[in-house]
Amino acid sequence: MANIDEEFKKRLVEIFGRENVSDEMEERICASYDATRRSALPDAVVRAQNAGQICELMKLCNERRVPVYAQGACTGLVGAAVPFEGGVALDMTGMKRIIEIDRRNLTATVEPGVVTADLQKEAEKAGLFYPPDPASNAFSTLGGNVAQGAGGLRCIKYGVTREYVLALDVVLPTGELIRTGSLAVKDVTGYDLTALMVGSEGTLGIFTRMVLRLLPLPEEIVTSLCYFRDVENAMDAVSAIIAAKIIPRALEFMDDECARSVQSEQEFDMPPDTGAVLLIELDGKRALIEGEMKRCVEICRSCGAFEVFEAYSEEDCEKAWSVRRAISPALYNISPGGKINEDVCVPRSELTKLLHAVKEISRKHEVKIVCFGHAGDGNVHVNALVDLSDESEAERGHAAIREVFETVVSLNGTLSGEHGVGVAKQSYLSMQIPEREMDIMRRIKRLFDPNNILNPGKIFPPAPE
Ligand SMILES: Cc1cc2nc3c(=O)[nH]c(=O)nc-3n(C[C@H](O)[C@H](O)[C@H](O)COP(=O)(O)OP(=O)(O)OC[C@H]3O[C@@H](n4cnc5c(N)ncnc54)[C@H](O)[C@@H]3O)c2cc1C
């Protein structure tokens, strides 16, 4: 139990209003978990309506040394929003206004609780495009996306959330409100505090207003699915497509285990003996992208694709994507006891080496590992299918994942391409980040949050004695 008494609760009610403060068990349970199986109860839940309330909350909690956790939709996959040390869960989903879509400057000014897909739809109405597209976009909030530096399906062409954040209003753990960045497209004035905030996992400050970059909406989209006998051929095709100077907006892959897993789920038959699948999507002017898609298909065939489904209508594109969307439900059905889901990322040229190594690791530890992901980015979702309630199976799964991480680091990759560290990857962090750099990061945290009250215990493993 954090340092919370009746006087503290009275202050919360004064700040947020009685209807926006609760210590009822039902509400505390709702605020206790994210999309991992981790959970911990906060002592109280408050629902914010404006930045002023958050400044007051942080001053109060800083004075009383009470932990605070900003929460969006709690779809995070690393435990970053889970209130492990008790204290106050700060629900940001009520701050969900799209304040402005500026067509002249191609920006959107939003509150952090806006659901990602809602901004995408609103931008489309103005003929504009917000490209970051995490698969959770129907639920996740833009505040959570910025805090986790979310990726998604279109990063090969459009980059990650980081590329779309121009300016932020941020309440610091000590209660001051600061403004980072500017509305200018170019800005090299001083240290880039906006970039520091992106991916800070709710540990440095709470975003209360965000200015995001938009692009013109691409005119058309075409998609194709290419089936290969093995993953090498598929990865050769990925390299050849890029070498042909074609940059798809999505370039997704499935390995053989993944293809087998979705076979029972999808709406149309996957060819027998499929060893790898590529989904290629291009956007732009129809005349150009149809020609480019034909070229991609030629490249895939020359690299060994034995069957291709080309989708030039909206209906067929949907059909192609249904294969990709079938992955998560299929893995759940195959492994109801759980899975260890990692999102490692390596330079694109190292993908084949990584996928081979994963096969070896899977054999060695006798753990089924399914790989799929964003081949265009070198970002692989490595899923060890283990029953997490079975101690020895879970142990084998974790040992396998540790070896996957070792391999990734040896290939100059990173432990997380999109989900972040939270608590899930904390114990592996030193494999990638040397102590000197880790110390700089810890000092940055202390500078912003001297009393360690904002989302404590996340990202960093305990400092060495
Ligand atoms: C089915 C599924 C698919 C997913 N697909 C993807 C994907 O393709 N790509 C990807 O990158 N991720 C993906 N994710 C992970 C997750 O959706 C993202 O990390 C997302 O950005 C989290 O948003 P959220 O609103 O749920 O944040 P939460 O989980 O509520 O919080 C995440 C972190 O953000 C902080 N935070 C929240 N709001 C604020 C704020 N206003 N100010 C400061 N910090 C804040 C929290 O403190 C916490 O540390 C997926 C998750 C699921 C369940």
Side-chain angles (χ1 to χ4, degrees), residues 46-285:
V46 298
R47 286 182 283 275
Q49 311 297 315
N50 60 58
Q53 293 172 328
I54 299 173
C55 290
E56 289 303 307
L57 173 73
M58 295 318 299
K59 280 183 202 146
L60 173 68
C61 290
N62 192 40
E63 206 177 282
R64 300 285 293 259
R65 310 288 193 264
V66 173
V68 178
Y69 313 83
Q71 294 186 335
C74 290
T75 65
L77 290 171
V78 290
V82 179
F84 287 108
E85 298 188 21
V88 179
L90 171 63
D91 177 354
M92 299 298 294
T93 57
M95 291 180 66
K96 55 177 182 199
R97 279 184 313 142
I98 297 178
I99 299 165
E100 186 188 18
I101 302 263
D102 181 340
R103 294 165 194 240
R104 287 181 313 160
N105 288 308
L106 300 188
T107 57
T109 303
V110 298
E111 290 185 330
V114 173
V115 170
T116 315
D118 289 347
L119 175 63
Q120 290 170 329
K121 282 184 220 141
E122 214 43 44
E124 278 188 29
K125 285 187 201 157
L128 298 173
F129 180 40
Y130 180 65
D133 193 34
S136 51
N137 69 346
F139 312 99
S140 69
T141 65
L142 292 167
N145 292 170
V146 173
Q148 295 305 108
L153 298 164
R154 303 168 183 154
C155 301
I156 174 174
K157 182 165 179 181
Y158 292 107
V160 292
T161 300
R162 183 178 299 283
E163 269 84 47
Y164 294 87
V165 187
L166 281 176
L168 295 170
D169 282 9
V170 185
V171 178
L172 299 183
T174 43
E176 304 113 296
L177 186 125
I178 63 163
R179 294 215 148 136
T180 73
S182 75
L183 303 196
V185 171
K186 298 173 175 174
D187 179 356
V188 287
T189 317
Y191 291 145
D192 189 346
L193 293 181
T194 310
L196 180 60
M197 288 292 159
V198 179
S200 61
E201 304 201 22
T203 64
L204 297 182
I206 299 167
F207 318 136
T208 55
R209 189 170 152 279
M210 315 195 285
V211 183
L212 305 173
R213 204 156 69 87
L214 301 174
L215 296 178
L217 186 66
E219 277 177 26
E220 303 268 358
I221 296 169
V222 294
T223 311
S224 69
L225 274 177
C226 300
Y227 298 94
F228 296 82
R229 295 277 179 232
D230 60 47
V231 83
E232 285 89 349
N233 290 352
M235 293 307 133
D236 287 349
V238 168
S239 301
I241 289 169
I242 307 291
K245 302 188 184 69
I246 299 172
I247 306 293
R249 82 181 210 150
L251 185 44
E252 298 286 301
F253 86 100
M254 294 180 196
D255 74 354
D256 54 344
E257 285 291 355
C258 188
R260 273 195 285 279
S261 306
V262 300
Q263 237 147 6
S264 57
E265 297 284 326
Q266 61 174 4
E267 281 164 24
F268 61 97
D269 286 334
M270 187 175 288
D273 298 330
T274 296
V277 184
L278 282 188
L279 182 150
I280 306 164
E281 185 160 272
L282 303 174
D283 65 6
K285 293 201 183 297

